[in-house]
Amino acid sequence: MKKYIIFASIGFELVGLILGCFYLGQYLDQKYQTKGLIFAGLSLACLVGWLIRVVWLLNRIQKQDEKESESKKPPGTP
């Protein structure tokens, strides 16, 4: 059940990042007159960071599952 909650939170993280990038990018674009370049760069940077976090989280969950499956094996089985 814990894994499902983690994956549900990933979606909320992405929505929060998109909204944050939108508002912050819009504000900075207006302030520095960059015609959307700051928004685009900020969005791309946040998306790359988010994807790295998702891959890291998936690797961590996979290692945890492998540990649990190893501990459930009876002693002496390969």
Side-chain angles (χ1 to χ4, degrees):
M1 182 68 175
K2 186 178 177 182
K3 292 176 193 174
Y4 299 116
I5 294 172
I6 290 171
F7 286 110
S9 70
I10 288 173
F12 287 113
E13 285 178 8
L14 183 58
V15 170
L17 281 172
I18 290 170
L19 289 174
C21 287
F22 177 74
Y23 289 115
L24 182 62
Q26 188 177 26
Y27 169 75
L28 292 173
D29 282 332
Q30 286 176 355
K31 184 174 180 178
Y32 296 112
Q33 303 297 318
T34 58
K35 299 178 184 173
L37 291 176
I38 292 177
F39 168 69
L42 188 63
S43 297
L44 185 63
C46 285
L47 183 62
V48 168
W50 179 78
L51 287 172
I52 290 170
R53 176 169 159 58
V54 168
V55 169
W56 174 80
L57 187 62
L58 289 172
N59 284 336
R60 194 175 106 197
I61 289 172
Q62 183 180 6
K63 286 178 185 177
Q64 207 171 35
D65 284 346
E66 288 173 358
K67 267 187 184 178
E68 288 176 7
S69 66
E70 288 291 322
S71 66
K72 289 181 182 178
K73 285 185 181 178
T77 57

